[in-house]
């Protein structure tokens, strides 16, 4: 039992799970699950009580039972007590103050990351204002490598997302060319296929590999199909760079995705055996999103933001090259409007970075949400200020296959110019060599005889 008194009224919370849920900022998914605070006063009382909870409590009182959930077992069994030692004496409120202090610099945050559980990260985020989430995430440094180096300070990468509603190779190639000529693609060239046809998935992988190899582009490709399809492709000798999978924060939710930890481990080992990375061996790519556990009725009464943080424990176990939250994609049933989407994006980025992950974000919304592109501009600017690893680049910000609104190649140009952010270093050198950018990293006017344009014309003949 936890309790706090506010305005001469005593509020009681039966367990840690309810306390975390009541302390969460208001969002439609928690109301849908009947977990949210009934009033702003109850929410503040929950935060007051949460601030006094020792961090050690999260190792003793598990939100999802150990014997029922392999994600819980992963969190408990992989916890690094040595890394936890410097902060083990703190309460959640003390942890917030420590994170904001000069003592918690980038080196110290890296040392304690393995000792922080997702529930600790979620708990402290609930006590933070947006500016706190930004400031702490900015101090976290997470660097990964495959064919280039991602996550370096002062850098922001872009996933080039050339989706097409019929998986037309020509249409995908055109969008891919568009993105490359705008300087996008250093995080990954990643296609969401409309079909699960294995022969088609194979063609997409070969096409991406051909472009990357022909022009010696220091980047990686990924066809974002189910992990079982990717395993079958690798068995057939298909040139697979990264293994993709959507993941969630409970075993039951992951079962809804058709996966478990053993399957992810099998896929990781298969990708490592291909030895396709030139600079590193981070071969996994994950996507997450608040509401995924609730949407499959697999949340165990845990609020959606804490469930999201638990998904990061799954990702952390597999040392991914990339992970991003698709923050507004699941819809207004879980994040109703721009205010909720902005807050969730900052929470996700903070929790992921604190846990040692290369967090990116699909700054996005669906057309039936109470949000618009101005909200996305705000979230993009805040996240980039907070040290976002990568964002999504879609032609015109309008994904014509997935039918949602994301960020464009032009948005990446805006944020790089605003904050002086650069590409991944190897990709930046390639852009200069290909005369796409000048020595300062500014885009050049592309001539009609540029080799990338000529190559596309050859593909379409």
């Amino acid at each position: 039992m936890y309790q706090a008194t506010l305005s001469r009224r005593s509020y009681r919370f039966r367990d840690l799970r309810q306390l975390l849920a009541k302390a969460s900022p208001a969002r439609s998914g928690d109301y849908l699950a009947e977990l949210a605070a009934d009033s702003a006063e109850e929410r503040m009382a929950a935060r007051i009580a949460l601030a006094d909870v020792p961090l050690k409590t999260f190792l003793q009182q598990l939100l999802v039972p150990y014997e029922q959930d392999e994600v819980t077992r992963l969190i408990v069994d992989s916890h690094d007590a040595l890394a936890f030692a410097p902060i083990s004496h703190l309460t959640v409120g003390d942890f917030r103050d420590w994170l904001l202090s000069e003592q918690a610099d980038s080196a110290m945050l890296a040392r304690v990351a393995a000792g922080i559980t997702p529930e600790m990260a979620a708990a402290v985020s609930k006590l933070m204002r947006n500016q706190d989430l930004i400031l702490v995430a900015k101090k976290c440094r997470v660097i990964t490598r495959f064919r280039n180096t991602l996550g370096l300070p002062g850098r922001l990468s872009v996933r080039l997302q050339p989706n097409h509603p019929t998986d037309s190779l020509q249409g995908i190639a055109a969008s891919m060319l568009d993105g490359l000529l705008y300087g996008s693609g250093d995080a990954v060239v990643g296609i969401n296929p409309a079909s699960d046809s294995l022969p088609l998935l194979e063609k997409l992988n070969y096409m991406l590999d051909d472009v990357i190899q022909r022009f010696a582009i220091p980047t990686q490709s990924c066809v974002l199909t189910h992990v079982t399809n990717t395993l079958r492709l690798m068995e057939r000798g298909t040139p697979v760079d990264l293994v993709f999978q959507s993941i969630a924060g409970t075993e039951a939710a992951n079962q809804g995705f058709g996966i478990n930890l053993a399957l992810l481990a099998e896929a990781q080992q298969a990708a490592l055996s291909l030895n396709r990375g030139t600079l590193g061996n981070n071969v996994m790519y994950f996507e997450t999103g608040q509401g995924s556990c609730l949407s499959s009725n697999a949340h165990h009464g845990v609020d959606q933001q804490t469930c999201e943080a638990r998904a990061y424990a799954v990702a952390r176990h597999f040392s991914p090259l990339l992970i991003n939250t698709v923050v507004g994609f699941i819809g207004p049933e879980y994040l109703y409007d721009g205010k909720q989407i902005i807050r969730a994006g900052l929470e996700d980025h903070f929790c992921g970075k604190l846990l040692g992950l290369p967090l990116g974000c699909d700054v996005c919304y669906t057309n039936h949400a109470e949000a618009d592109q101005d909200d996305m501009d705000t979230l993009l600017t805040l996240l980039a200020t907070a040290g976002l690893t990568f964002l999504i680049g879609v032609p015109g910000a309008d994904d014509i296959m997935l039918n949602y609104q994301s960020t464009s190649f032009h948005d990446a140009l805006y944020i790089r110019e605003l904050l002086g952010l650069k590409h991944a270093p190897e990709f930046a050198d390639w852009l200069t060599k290909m005369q796409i950018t000048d020595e300062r990293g500014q885009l050049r006017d592309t001539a009609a005889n540029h080799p990338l344009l000529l190559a596309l014309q050859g593909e379409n003949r």
Side-chain angles (χ1 to χ4, degrees), residues 2-154:
Y2 300 89
Q3 62 182 33
T5 300
L6 198 62
S7 301
R8 298 183 180 180
R9 179 177 175 182
S10 181
Y11 290 89
R12 291 179 173 82
F13 309 96
R14 64 177 178 270
D15 54 25
L16 194 56
R17 186 164 42 194
Q18 186 183 58
L19 180 65
L20 287 167
K22 296 290 188 178
S24 287
R27 62 204 58 200
S28 52
D30 288 339
Y31 285 114
L32 181 66
E34 300 181 343
L35 300 175
D38 293 330
S39 66
E41 185 172 288
E42 185 184 28
R43 183 172 296 111
M44 184 55 66
R47 290 174 180 171
I48 291 171
L50 180 60
D52 290 332
V53 175
L55 290 181
K56 290 180 179 178
T57 304
F58 294 96
L59 301 174
Q60 301 157 357
Q61 299 181 28
L62 305 179
L63 304 186
V64 182
Y66 182 92
E67 62 278 4
Q68 295 179 16
D69 187 89
E70 68 173 0
V71 177
T72 298
R73 294 193 291 275
L74 175 67
I75 293 168
V76 173
D77 297 346
S78 63
H79 182 254
D80 189 329
L82 186 62
F84 181 57
I87 58 173
S88 62
H89 61 289
L90 301 177
T91 65
V92 177
D94 294 333
F95 188 35
R96 173 190 176 274
D97 294 342
W98 181 82
L99 287 170
L100 293 167
S101 73
E102 293 182 2
Q103 182 184 355
D105 58 14
S106 296
M108 176 59 78
L109 290 172
R111 284 198 293 272
V112 302
I116 301 171
T117 69
E119 293 84 354
M120 294 175 194
V124 74
S125 76
K126 298 176 194 299
L127 305 185
M128 290 181 151
R129 294 169 57 184
N130 286 0
Q131 65 175 245
D132 300 334
L133 299 173
I134 293 167
L135 186 60
V136 175
K138 179 73 170 181
K139 295 191 287 185
C140 297
R141 299 275 185 261
V142 184
I143 297 171
T144 58
R145 293 178 175 88
F146 188 77
R147 291 201 188 98
N148 57 19
T149 307
L150 304 175
L152 292 169

Side-chain angles (χ1 to χ4, degrees), residues 162-168 172 192-195 399-402:
N163 295 343
H164 192 278
T166 64
D167 291 328
S168 161
I172 289 169
N192 298 95
S195 169
D399 193 303
I400 58 174
M401 196 284 282
L402 292 173

Side-chain angles (χ1 to χ4, degrees), residues 59-375:
L59 301 174
Q60 301 157 357
Q61 299 181 28
L62 305 179
L63 304 186
V64 182
Y66 182 92
E67 62 278 4
Q68 295 179 16
D69 187 89
E70 68 173 0
V71 177
T72 298
R73 294 193 291 275
L74 175 67
I75 293 168
V76 173
D77 297 346
S78 63
H79 182 254
D80 189 329
L82 186 62
F84 181 57
I87 58 173
S88 62
H89 61 289
L90 301 177
T91 65
V92 177
D94 294 333
F95 188 35
R96 173 190 176 274
D97 294 342
W98 181 82
L99 287 170
L100 293 167
S101 73
E102 293 182 2
Q103 182 184 355
D105 58 14
S106 296
M108 176 59 78
L109 290 172
R111 284 198 293 272
V112 302
I116 301 171
T117 69
E119 293 84 354
M120 294 175 194
V124 74
S125 76
K126 298 176 194 299
L127 305 185
M128 290 181 151
R129 294 169 57 184
N130 286 0
Q131 65 175 245
D132 300 334
L133 299 173
I134 293 167
L135 186 60
V136 175
K138 179 73 170 181
K139 295 191 287 185
C140 297
R141 299 275 185 261
V142 184
I143 297 171
T144 58
R145 293 178 175 88
F146 188 77
R147 291 201 188 98
N148 57 19
T149 307
L150 304 175
L152 292 169
R155 308 274 177 171
L156 175 66
S157 296
V158 177
R159 170 187 160 190
L160 202 173
Q161 184 169 298
N163 295 343
H164 192 278
T166 64
D167 291 328
S168 161
L169 297 185
Q170 290 79 11
I172 289 169
S175 293
M176 185 177 173
L177 171 70
D178 190 25
L180 289 170
L181 293 178
Y182 275 111
S184 293
D186 49 344
V188 65
V189 181
I191 300 171
N192 298 95
S195 169
D196 280 333
S197 161
L198 213 60
L200 175 64
L201 298 175
E202 194 168 40
K203 287 180 182 178
L204 292 175
N205 273 283
Y206 273 106
M207 183 195 76
L208 294 177
D209 184 64
D210 176 65
V211 173
I212 288 173
Q213 299 300 330
R214 194 188 329 175
F215 294 100
I217 308 174
T219 191
Q220 36 282 327
S221 66
C222 186
V223 176
L224 282 70
T225 186
H226 193 269
V227 63
T228 53
N229 288 333
T230 306
L231 274 167
R232 294 168 66 192
L233 289 171
M234 288 189 285
E235 290 169 358
R236 292 165 65 140
T238 305
V240 171
D241 286 345
L242 304 182
V243 174
F244 169 80
Q245 184 55 50
S246 295
I247 56 173
T250 68
E251 179 179 348
N254 283 325
Q255 286 175 347
F257 286 138
I259 63 167
N260 54 37
L261 298 180
L263 181 62
L264 294 178
E266 179 186 353
Q268 182 187 35
Q269 290 305 309
L272 287 170
S273 71
L274 300 180
N275 197 31
R276 292 178 57 80
T278 55
L279 294 183
N281 59 1
N282 299 112
V283 296
M284 305 298 283
Y285 176 20
F286 296 118
E287 284 190 339
T288 66
Q290 288 195 29
S292 58
C293 290
L294 175 59
S295 68
S296 58
N297 195 28
H299 58 96
H300 294 270
V302 178
D303 68 273
Q304 68 179 40
Q305 189 249 333
T306 303
C307 284
E308 170 73 3
R310 283 171 55 90
Y312 301 154
V314 176
R316 180 167 65 176
H317 184 65
F318 295 101
S319 303
L321 179 76
L322 303 165
I323 171 174
N324 67 265
T325 167
V326 281
V327 64
F329 183 73
I330 302 182
E333 299 85 355
Y334 307 99
L335 296 170
Y336 178 72
D337 57 14
K339 180 180 176 65
Q340 292 187 11
I341 292 171
I342 289 168
R343 173 68 191 192
L346 294 175
E347 288 170 348
D348 294 351
H349 182 249
F350 163 84
C351 288
K353 282 293 187 66
L354 193 61
L355 293 168
L357 286 169
L359 234 293
C361 184
D362 190 345
V363 178
C364 63
Y365 65 101
T366 56
N367 287 314
H368 62 310
E370 291 296 321
D372 58 27
Q373 209 65 45
D374 285 338
D375 295 314

